[in-house]
Amino acid sequence: MPSYIVLLGPPGAGKGTQAQVLSEKLGLVHISSGDIFRENLQAQTELGVRAQAFMNRGELVPDDLTIAMIRERLSRPDCQQGAILDGFPRTPAQADALSGILSQLGGKVDVVPYISVPAAVLIERLSGRWTCRAAGHVFHEKYNPPKVAGVCDFDGSELYQRDDDKAETVARRIQVYTDQTAPLIDYYQKRHLLAQIDGTQDIETVGQHLLDAVKQQR
Ligand code: AP5
C-alpha cells in the first residue's frame, strides 16, 4: 500500500528542508506545492501566471487551481509508492479533496507531522533563506550555509532569495497560515494522524524526531 505523509507547519518552519531529507531516507517522492507554482511561474504557464498575483501578496492560490494541480501530480507513476506532501493541504477543503484523491489511488494519509515554530523565529529563518534555482534545495546563511556562498552544494546552480520572503509579505503569509491553515492541526488531530514536532531545534535533531514520528505511525 502506498504511503502518504503530509508535512504541516507555518512558512519557514522547515517543511522543505526536512522533506528533502525524509524523501531520501524513505525513498518517497517530495511534492512541494510552492515549488510547482514557482516552476510554472518561471515557465510562464497559464497556471503560473494565474498563481503569481496570489503568491506575491502572500495569499493562498484558490483551492480549485491548487487541488487540480496536486491531483495531476499525484497521478504520475513516480507516486506509486506514495509521497511526501509539503505545503499541501493548506485549507480544510484541500484536506477533504486530498483524502478523496488518495482513496481513488488506493491510499490514505498515514501521518501528519506538524513542525511547530514561533513567529519570531520564522521571520529570521525566512530572511536568511537562499534557495537553489535548479531544484529548490534550501540553505540558510547562518543555520545551514552552502559550502560556497551563492552556489548550491547539490547541483552547483545559483542560489536566490524568494520574492515572497520580503518582510511585509512574510507577515501576511504568517497571518494567512494562522487564519486558513492552522485549523488543519485540529482537523488531523481529530483523525489521530497528527504528530507534533518541536521545530526550534537544530535541523538534524528535528529530522530525527520527524523520522521517529513517521516510523511510529506508518
Ligand atoms: P510555499 O513555497 O509552500 O511556502 P511556505 O509554506 O510559506 O513554506 P516555506 O517554503 O516558506 O517554508 P518551509 O517550511 O518549507 O521552510 P524551509 O525548509 O524553506 O508556498 C509559497 C506560496 O505558494 C504560498 O504563499 C501560496 O501563495 C502558494 N501556495 C503553495 N501551496 C499552496 C496551497 N496548498 N494552497 C494555496 N496556495 C499555495 O526553511 C526556512 C529556512 O529556515 C531555510 O533557510 C532553512 O535553511 C532554515 N531552517 C530550516 N529548519 C531549520 C532549523 N531547524 N533550524 C534553523 N534553521 C532552519
Side-chain angles (χ1 to χ4, degrees):
M1 187 152 158
S3 180
Y4 298 98
I5 298 166
V6 168
L7 291 186
L8 190 61
K15 303 180 297 294
T17 301
Q18 297 299 339
Q20 235 166 266
V21 180
L22 210 54
S23 156
E24 277 165 32
K25 289 199 169 140
L26 302 177
L28 292 175
V29 64
H30 168 198
I31 299 179
S32 157
S33 45
D35 283 352
I36 303 177
F37 283 131
R38 283 183 287 278
E39 283 156 23
N40 274 276
L41 187 55
Q42 212 173 345
Q44 286 290 292
T45 67
E46 193 191 332
L47 175 67
V49 172
R50 288 178 73 184
Q52 181 173 27
F54 298 98
M55 295 175 77
N56 286 349
R57 289 197 303 267
E59 309 280 344
L60 295 186
V61 178
D63 281 343
D64 56 342
L65 283 182
T66 308
I67 291 167
M69 174 184 89
I70 292 292
R71 181 189 300 281
E72 187 283 321
R73 181 65 189 87
L74 283 169
S75 69
R76 293 196 206 161
D78 63 349
C79 296
Q80 266 170 8
Q81 300 306 312
I84 298 168
L85 289 157
D86 155 16
F88 183 93
R90 256 174 152 100
T91 61
Q94 291 183 13
D96 288 343
L98 178 63
S99 53
I101 294 168
L102 296 186
S103 82
Q104 282 169 4
L105 294 170
K108 61 176 178 46
V109 173
D110 290 309
V111 54
V112 181
Y114 159 48
I115 308 177
S116 72
V117 176
V121 178
L122 300 174
I123 292 163
E124 196 204 354
R125 285 194 187 172
L126 293 175
S127 61
R129 168 165 64 185
W130 289 83
T131 304
C132 124
R133 190 75 73 186
H137 295 114
V138 179
F139 299 87
H140 191 280
E141 56 196 33
K142 185 165 154 198
Y143 301 118
N144 183 24
K147 292 190 183 92
V148 178
V151 181
C152 178
D153 288 358
F154 301 100
D155 54 36
S157 80
E158 176 204 12
L159 299 180
Y160 75 102
Q161 290 198 288
R162 276 169 45 178
D163 285 344
D164 61 350
D165 281 347
K166 283 188 269 196
E168 64 276 18
T169 317
V170 165
R172 182 67 193 136
R173 284 164 61 202
I174 293 173
Q175 189 58 50
V176 166
Y177 167 81
T178 305
D179 296 343
Q180 299 185 50
T181 306
L184 292 182
I185 299 168
D186 195 39
Y187 179 102
Y188 283 118
Q189 198 146 37
K190 283 190 178 136
R191 288 160 177 78
H192 309 289
L193 291 170
L194 200 81
Q196 182 157 349
I197 312 283
D198 175 4
T200 61
Q201 305 166 95
D202 62 77
I203 293 175
E204 218 179 290
T205 308
V206 174
Q208 192 52 54
H209 289 170
L210 199 53
L211 193 60
D212 293 345
V214 167
K215 283 184 177 161
Q216 228 170 45
Q217 289 221 20
R218 263 171 106 197

